[in-house]
Amino acid sequence: MKFVYRFFSHLYDIVFPPSKDARLVQTLDTVTIGKIYVCRSVDGVYTLSAYSDPRIRALVHEAKFKGNEHSFLLLGTLLSLHIGRLEHINYILPIPLSKKRMRARGYNQVAEVVRRATCSPHTIIRTDILERSRDTQPQTELQRAERLVNVRNAFGVADGSEITGKHIIIIDDVMTTGATLRAAKATLLQHSPASVTCVALAH
């Protein structure tokens, strides 16, 4: 059975050759992720790796645009290395996509990574608290000043009472200026959580 699977996998790769990013992701494992993980604090955001590293770029790209399961798992491992060092976490909130982008893509890559991270049994992953209150232009298409305006008032909270007094982490995949995470944090702080920590998988 294993031989048959390998045969058809090989045949599929011949007919539909994997992309350069996909080939690179296939070579990576949890040991590699342990070496890539470098936590830094940048403008109030904890970043876990360097986006300039082609391995990280490939992982993020494959997760975001291809729904690559191996990328989800390895980025989840990267996040686990950081979460394991933290205390007093009640909720982990992935940065939400707009409804339009969610319909087009079919999944939120940050939420998929968070679901594959190893968290404390007392930590709850919530995708129903932080909401996109309006669609925004992709941040990668904008200059720094434009990014700040683009995400202003872009987030809302479904039920503020759920986060009052709670320790919260919000997660994004890539940080450039940090505008998205800071805008989300500002929205959450209106409901008096105990703490809000911003984390980006890469910077």
Side-chain angles (χ1 to χ4, degrees), residues 14-33:
I14 293 174
V15 178
F16 303 104
S19 67
K20 180 180 177 181
D21 282 343
R23 292 196 301 272
L24 179 53
V25 166
Q26 288 172 1
T27 69
L28 304 179
D29 56 22
T30 55
V31 175
T32 308
I33 294 302

Side-chain angles (χ1 to χ4, degrees), residues 22-100:
R23 292 196 301 272
L24 179 53
V25 166
Q26 288 172 1
T27 69
L28 304 179
D29 56 22
T30 55
V31 175
T32 308
I33 294 302
K35 296 175 181 177
I36 289 173
Y37 170 69
V38 178
C39 180
R40 294 187 174 93
S41 179
V42 181
D43 295 333
V45 177
Y46 290 102
T47 65
L48 310 187
S49 65
Y51 192 63
S52 58
D53 187 322
R55 296 168 296 181
I56 286 294
R57 283 202 307 272
L59 283 167
V60 170
H61 188 274
E62 282 291 300
K64 188 170 188 173
F65 300 111
K66 305 295 183 181
N68 187 312
E69 176 62 25
H70 193 48
S71 290
F72 289 149
L73 288 169
L74 292 182
L75 290 172
T77 299
L78 180 70
L79 182 57
S80 297
L81 291 172
H82 185 68
I83 290 175
R85 301 182 175 194
L86 303 179
E87 298 179 354
H88 307 304
I89 306 170
N90 297 120
Y91 296 149
I92 298 181
L93 312 183
I95 286 290
L97 298 179
S98 68
K99 291 180 180 179
K100 179 181 178 181

Side-chain angles (χ1 to χ4, degrees), residues 90-96 124-133 154-164 166-170 184 187-189 191 193 196:
N90 297 120
Y91 296 149
I92 298 181
L93 312 183
I95 286 290
I124 301 172
I125 299 165
R126 296 291 298 268
T127 59
D128 60 338
I129 291 177
L130 187 63
E131 302 174 330
R132 284 268 182 175
S133 54
F155 297 100
V157 173
D159 183 354
S161 65
E162 290 210 60
I163 63 171
T164 300
K166 302 294 186 182
H167 295 280
I168 297 169
I169 294 181
I170 45 178
T187 299
L188 294 171
L189 288 175
H191 303 280
V196 177

